[in-house]
Amino acid sequence: MDTKLLIEAFDAAAAAVNSSLRNVRGSGRRARTTKPGQYAIDLIADEAALGVLSKLPVAIMSEESGLSGDRSSPVIVVIDPVDGSSNAARDIPYWATSICAMDAGGLLAAVVVNQETGVHFRAVRGEGATRNGERIRSSDVARVEDSVIALSGLPGLVLPWKQFRVLGSAALALCDVACGSVDGFLDVASWHAPWDYLGGVLMCSEAGAITVDAKSRALDTADPMARRQVLAAGTQGLLESLRNATI
C-alpha cells in the first residue's frame, strides 16, 4: 500500500483528534465511562480518528473500539487515540495519538503526535524516522551510568543510571528514545498492548535504536490481548544493562 497515503491519513486522523478535544477542558477532561480505566475523551478521540481512518482500504484495530474496517485487507492499522489518558485528563502535556500500520512484512508506517506540544514523529519502513520533519537518530550511550532512562513503573532493581524520568506515555517515551532525548526505555512489567508501543517501536528501529520484549516475544503483533514488556535503547550495551532490571 502507498505509504505516502497512509502517512497523510494518519496526520489527518491525529489532527481530527486534536480538534475533537480542543474545547474539552476541566471536568470534561476527567469524566470517565463505565469501562474501567477509560475516559470519555478516549471515546471522543476514537470517533474522530476513525472518521478519517475508516476511509482507507485497511483493517483497523483501536484500543477503544476494537476491530473495524476492511478485515480482508493485508494492512492493519493499530491506533491508540489517546496514549497517556491520565496525563491528558490532568492537563499534563505529555500524551499522544499513536497510529501504526502493519503488513505481512511487519511494521510499515507510523505517526505519533504529542497533542499538547505539537511535536510530530513520522516513520516509514526502510525510509527512516523524523521529528517535526527532521531526520532523527538514537543516542550512542552504551553505559547505564551515563544514561537518562524513561521508565514505565518503578523497577524492583534500581540501576545506577545518571537520571530517570517516569512520564506516562509509552508511545512518546519510545519516540524520545528514537530521537535521543532519552537513551533508553524500561517497562517494568508486561503492561503494554500493541497500540501503546507499535508506533514508537517503528520510530526506534528506523532511527537506529533497538527494541525488544523482555521475555523475547514478538513485538509486531496486532493481537488486542497481547501484552509486552518493552525495552528500548540506542545501543546494545545499554539494552543489556536494562535487562538486569527486569529480573
Side-chain angles (χ1 to χ4, degrees), residues 1-82:
M1 187 171 180
D2 185 348
T3 55
K4 182 179 179 181
L5 177 65
L6 285 173
I7 293 294
E8 288 176 350
F10 296 173
D11 285 344
V17 169
N18 186 283
S19 179
S20 73
L21 297 181
R22 187 174 301 143
N23 296 320
V24 182
R25 295 294 174 186
S27 61
R29 277 290 179 111
R30 296 196 182 197
R32 291 184 176 269
T33 70
T34 57
K35 181 179 177 180
Q38 187 180 66
Y39 290 88
I41 57 173
D42 293 322
L43 296 183
I44 295 170
D46 188 59
E47 181 179 7
L50 292 189
V52 176
L53 297 178
S54 62
K55 298 173 184 177
L56 293 171
V58 299
I60 303 168
M61 176 58 69
S62 169
E63 176 181 12
E64 309 306 336
S65 53
L67 185 63
S68 64
D70 181 359
R71 302 186 186 195
S72 66
S73 173
V75 176
I76 184 166
V77 172
V78 182
I79 176 171
D80 189 345
V82 180

Side-chain angles (χ1 to χ4, degrees), residues 35 60-67 77-84 96-100 102 111-112 169-172 174 191-201 219 221-227:
K35 181 179 177 180
I60 303 168
M61 176 58 69
S62 169
E63 176 181 12
E64 309 306 336
S65 53
L67 185 63
V77 172
V78 182
I79 176 171
D80 189 345
V82 180
D83 185 71
T97 297
S98 179
I99 314 173
C100 186
M102 297 176 58
V111 164
V112 179
S169 167
L172 287 176
L174 288 166
W191 289 334
H192 286 111
W195 44 73
D196 297 314
Y197 65 76
L198 285 180
V201 165
L219 290 176
T221 176
D223 180 358
M225 303 305 294
R227 296 295 181 270

Side-chain angles (χ1 to χ4, degrees), residues 27-240:
S27 61
R29 277 290 179 111
R30 296 196 182 197
R32 291 184 176 269
T33 70
T34 57
K35 181 179 177 180
Q38 187 180 66
Y39 290 88
I41 57 173
D42 293 322
L43 296 183
I44 295 170
D46 188 59
E47 181 179 7
L50 292 189
V52 176
L53 297 178
S54 62
K55 298 173 184 177
L56 293 171
V58 299
I60 303 168
M61 176 58 69
S62 169
E63 176 181 12
E64 309 306 336
S65 53
L67 185 63
S68 64
D70 181 359
R71 302 186 186 195
S72 66
S73 173
V75 176
I76 184 166
V77 172
V78 182
I79 176 171
D80 189 345
V82 180
D83 185 71
S85 297
S86 293
N87 283 353
R90 294 172 177 271
D91 291 319
I92 298 170
Y94 197 82
W95 61 275
T97 297
S98 179
I99 314 173
C100 186
M102 297 176 58
D103 63 9
L107 305 186
L108 176 60
V111 164
V112 179
V113 181
N114 183 323
Q115 294 285 17
E116 290 291 341
T117 66
V119 173
H120 197 298
F121 295 89
R122 296 184 182 95
V124 173
R125 185 171 65 212
E127 297 182 15
T130 62
R131 180 184 187 272
N132 292 342
E134 297 185 1
R135 287 290 291 264
I136 55 175
R137 293 293 298 176
S138 55
S139 86
D140 59 1
V141 170
R143 292 180 357 115
V144 70
E145 293 85 356
D146 300 325
S147 69
V148 177
I149 302 298
L151 302 178
S152 179
L154 297 176
L157 175 63
V158 176
L159 301 178
W161 39 61
K162 184 167 63 177
Q163 294 186 40
F164 68 91
R165 302 287 186 269
V166 187
L167 298 173
S169 167
L172 287 176
L174 288 166
C175 288
D176 285 339
V177 174
C179 69
S181 293
V182 296
D183 305 304
F185 172 73
L186 170 61
D187 186 356
V188 303
S190 297
W191 289 334
H192 286 111
W195 44 73
D196 297 314
Y197 65 76
L198 285 180
V201 165
L202 184 58
M203 301 298 165
C204 282
S205 63
E206 289 298 318
I210 309 157
T211 55
V212 298
D213 170 66
K215 297 177 175 59
S216 300
R217 298 163 294 189
L219 290 176
D220 55 346
T221 176
D223 180 358
M225 303 305 294
R227 296 295 181 270
R228 297 292 186 262
Q229 185 176 5
V230 184
L231 307 179
T235 64
Q236 189 68 44
L238 181 57
L239 185 74
E240 293 309 315

